mmCIF file of all heavy atoms in Angstrom:
data_model
loop_
_atom_site.group_PDB
_atom_site.id
_atom_site.type_symbol
_atom_site.label_atom_id
_atom_site.label_comp_id
_atom_site.label_asym_id
_atom_site.label_seq_id
_atom_site.Cartn_x
_atom_site.Cartn_y
_atom_site.Cartn_z
ATOM 1 N N ILE A 267 7.628 -24.776 -7.863
ATOM 2 C CA ILE A 267 9.109 -24.979 -7.676
ATOM 3 C C ILE A 267 9.309 -26.466 -7.989
ATOM 4 O O ILE A 267 9.079 -27.272 -7.047
ATOM 5 C CB ILE A 267 9.576 -24.594 -6.273
ATOM 6 C CG1 ILE A 267 9.253 -23.101 -6.102
ATOM 7 C CG2 ILE A 267 11.047 -24.822 -6.066
ATOM 8 C CD1 ILE A 267 9.587 -22.623 -4.646
ATOM 9 N N PRO A 268 9.841 -26.817 -9.155
ATOM 10 C CA PRO A 268 9.915 -28.275 -9.520
ATOM 11 C C PRO A 268 10.756 -29.049 -8.546
ATOM 12 O O PRO A 268 10.385 -30.273 -8.233
ATOM 13 C CB PRO A 268 10.604 -28.241 -10.855
ATOM 14 C CG PRO A 268 10.262 -26.884 -11.434
ATOM 15 C CD PRO A 268 10.255 -25.897 -10.270
ATOM 16 N N GLU A 269 11.768 -28.505 -7.948
ATOM 17 C CA GLU A 269 12.572 -29.249 -6.964
ATOM 18 C C GLU A 269 11.816 -29.629 -5.720
ATOM 19 O O GLU A 269 12.087 -30.697 -5.105
ATOM 20 C CB GLU A 269 13.823 -28.394 -6.539
ATOM 21 C CG GLU A 269 14.834 -28.146 -7.629
ATOM 22 C CD GLU A 269 14.479 -26.932 -8.533
ATOM 23 O OE1 GLU A 269 13.349 -26.400 -8.369
ATOM 24 O OE2 GLU A 269 15.298 -26.586 -9.382
ATOM 25 N N LEU A 270 10.751 -28.876 -5.418
ATOM 26 C CA LEU A 270 9.939 -29.261 -4.265
ATOM 27 C C LEU A 270 8.750 -30.079 -4.701
ATOM 28 O O LEU A 270 8.207 -30.942 -3.907
ATOM 29 C CB LEU A 270 9.476 -27.967 -3.547
ATOM 30 C CG LEU A 270 10.526 -27.048 -2.972
ATOM 31 C CD1 LEU A 270 9.852 -25.894 -2.188
ATOM 32 C CD2 LEU A 270 11.506 -27.787 -2.120
ATOM 33 N N VAL A 271 8.307 -29.865 -5.867
ATOM 34 C CA VAL A 271 7.140 -30.686 -6.399
ATOM 35 C C VAL A 271 7.607 -32.168 -6.474
ATOM 36 O O VAL A 271 6.824 -33.070 -6.101
ATOM 37 C CB VAL A 271 6.753 -30.235 -7.780
ATOM 38 C CG1 VAL A 271 5.696 -31.203 -8.377
ATOM 39 C CG2 VAL A 271 6.128 -28.817 -7.706
ATOM 40 N N ARG A 272 8.848 -32.482 -6.806
ATOM 41 C CA ARG A 272 9.310 -33.835 -6.939
ATOM 42 C C ARG A 272 9.410 -34.583 -5.650
ATOM 43 O O ARG A 272 9.243 -35.781 -5.602
ATOM 44 C CB ARG A 272 10.721 -33.867 -7.612
ATOM 45 C CG ARG A 272 10.695 -33.534 -9.109
ATOM 46 C CD ARG A 272 12.022 -33.906 -9.756
ATOM 47 N NE ARG A 272 13.110 -33.015 -9.308
ATOM 48 C CZ ARG A 272 13.500 -31.906 -9.924
ATOM 49 N NH1 ARG A 272 12.858 -31.542 -10.999
ATOM 50 N NH2 ARG A 272 14.466 -31.204 -9.527
ATOM 51 N N ILE A 273 9.533 -33.843 -4.558
ATOM 52 C CA ILE A 273 9.616 -34.529 -3.255
ATOM 53 C C ILE A 273 8.407 -34.283 -2.378
ATOM 54 O O ILE A 273 8.447 -34.506 -1.146
ATOM 55 C CB ILE A 273 10.898 -34.057 -2.476
ATOM 56 C CG1 ILE A 273 10.800 -32.563 -2.168
ATOM 57 C CG2 ILE A 273 12.140 -34.349 -3.316
ATOM 58 C CD1 ILE A 273 11.881 -32.052 -1.234
ATOM 59 N N ARG A 274 7.291 -33.867 -2.969
ATOM 60 C CA ARG A 274 6.095 -33.429 -2.173
ATOM 61 C C ARG A 274 5.537 -34.661 -1.364
ATOM 62 O O ARG A 274 4.915 -34.360 -0.301
ATOM 63 C CB ARG A 274 5.044 -32.880 -3.021
ATOM 64 C CG ARG A 274 4.421 -33.795 -4.018
ATOM 65 C CD ARG A 274 3.491 -32.988 -4.978
ATOM 66 N NE ARG A 274 2.773 -33.972 -5.931
ATOM 67 C CZ ARG A 274 3.280 -34.368 -7.040
ATOM 68 N NH1 ARG A 274 4.575 -34.042 -7.392
ATOM 69 N NH2 ARG A 274 2.593 -35.186 -7.820
ATOM 70 N N ARG A 275 5.636 -35.863 -1.788
ATOM 71 C CA ARG A 275 5.188 -36.997 -1.071
ATOM 72 C C ARG A 275 6.019 -37.256 0.223
ATOM 73 O O ARG A 275 5.493 -37.578 1.276
ATOM 74 C CB ARG A 275 5.086 -38.216 -1.893
ATOM 75 C CG ARG A 275 3.943 -38.141 -2.960
ATOM 76 C CD ARG A 275 3.717 -39.545 -3.609
ATOM 77 N NE ARG A 275 2.595 -39.428 -4.553
ATOM 78 C CZ ARG A 275 2.770 -39.178 -5.855
ATOM 79 N NH1 ARG A 275 3.998 -38.877 -6.292
ATOM 80 N NH2 ARG A 275 1.732 -39.168 -6.636
ATOM 81 N N ARG A 276 7.250 -37.133 0.083
ATOM 82 C CA ARG A 276 8.194 -37.396 1.214
ATOM 83 C C ARG A 276 8.291 -36.157 2.076
ATOM 84 O O ARG A 276 8.531 -36.270 3.252
ATOM 85 C CB ARG A 276 9.576 -37.792 0.689
ATOM 86 C CG ARG A 276 9.668 -39.172 -0.006
ATOM 87 C CD ARG A 276 11.042 -39.467 -0.452
ATOM 88 N NE ARG A 276 11.405 -38.563 -1.648
ATOM 89 C CZ ARG A 276 12.633 -38.391 -2.020
ATOM 90 N NH1 ARG A 276 13.621 -38.911 -1.370
ATOM 91 N NH2 ARG A 276 12.822 -37.580 -3.130
ATOM 92 N N ARG A 277 8.166 -34.950 1.473
ATOM 93 C CA ARG A 277 8.326 -33.696 2.219
ATOM 94 C C ARG A 277 7.248 -32.720 1.716
ATOM 95 O O ARG A 277 7.456 -31.912 0.862
ATOM 96 C CB ARG A 277 9.711 -33.107 1.963
ATOM 97 C CG ARG A 277 10.034 -31.979 2.885
ATOM 98 C CD ARG A 277 10.479 -32.439 4.241
ATOM 99 N NE ARG A 277 10.704 -31.254 5.091
ATOM 100 C CZ ARG A 277 11.817 -30.571 5.106
ATOM 101 N NH1 ARG A 277 12.854 -30.947 4.349
ATOM 102 N NH2 ARG A 277 11.976 -29.529 5.965
ATOM 103 N N PRO A 278 6.058 -32.831 2.303
ATOM 104 C CA PRO A 278 4.959 -32.053 1.808
ATOM 105 C C PRO A 278 5.057 -30.571 2.050
ATOM 106 O O PRO A 278 4.483 -29.726 1.348
ATOM 107 C CB PRO A 278 3.680 -32.635 2.528
ATOM 108 C CG PRO A 278 4.263 -33.308 3.735
ATOM 109 C CD PRO A 278 5.628 -33.822 3.308
ATOM 110 N N ALA A 279 5.816 -30.172 3.079
ATOM 111 C CA ALA A 279 6.011 -28.734 3.380
ATOM 112 C C ALA A 279 7.503 -28.523 3.681
ATOM 113 O O ALA A 279 8.107 -29.252 4.422
ATOM 114 C CB ALA A 279 5.171 -28.368 4.579
ATOM 115 N N VAL A 280 8.047 -27.481 3.044
ATOM 116 C CA VAL A 280 9.448 -27.120 3.140
ATOM 117 C C VAL A 280 9.574 -25.653 3.551
ATOM 118 O O VAL A 280 9.005 -24.844 2.934
ATOM 119 C CB VAL A 280 10.273 -27.452 1.833
ATOM 120 C CG1 VAL A 280 11.683 -27.072 1.947
ATOM 121 C CG2 VAL A 280 10.124 -28.931 1.503
ATOM 122 N N SER A 281 10.464 -25.388 4.509
ATOM 123 C CA SER A 281 10.729 -24.011 4.886
ATOM 124 C C SER A 281 11.913 -23.555 4.043
ATOM 125 O O SER A 281 12.938 -24.165 3.940
ATOM 126 C CB SER A 281 11.114 -23.940 6.366
ATOM 127 O OG SER A 281 11.494 -22.661 6.714
#
Side-chain angles (χ1 to χ4, degrees):
I267 301 175
E269 292 84 354
L270 300 185
V271 172
R272 284 195 293 267
I273 63 170
R274 65 187 184 280
R275 289 191 177 89
R276 291 178 292 162
R277 190 79 184 277
V280 177
S281 177

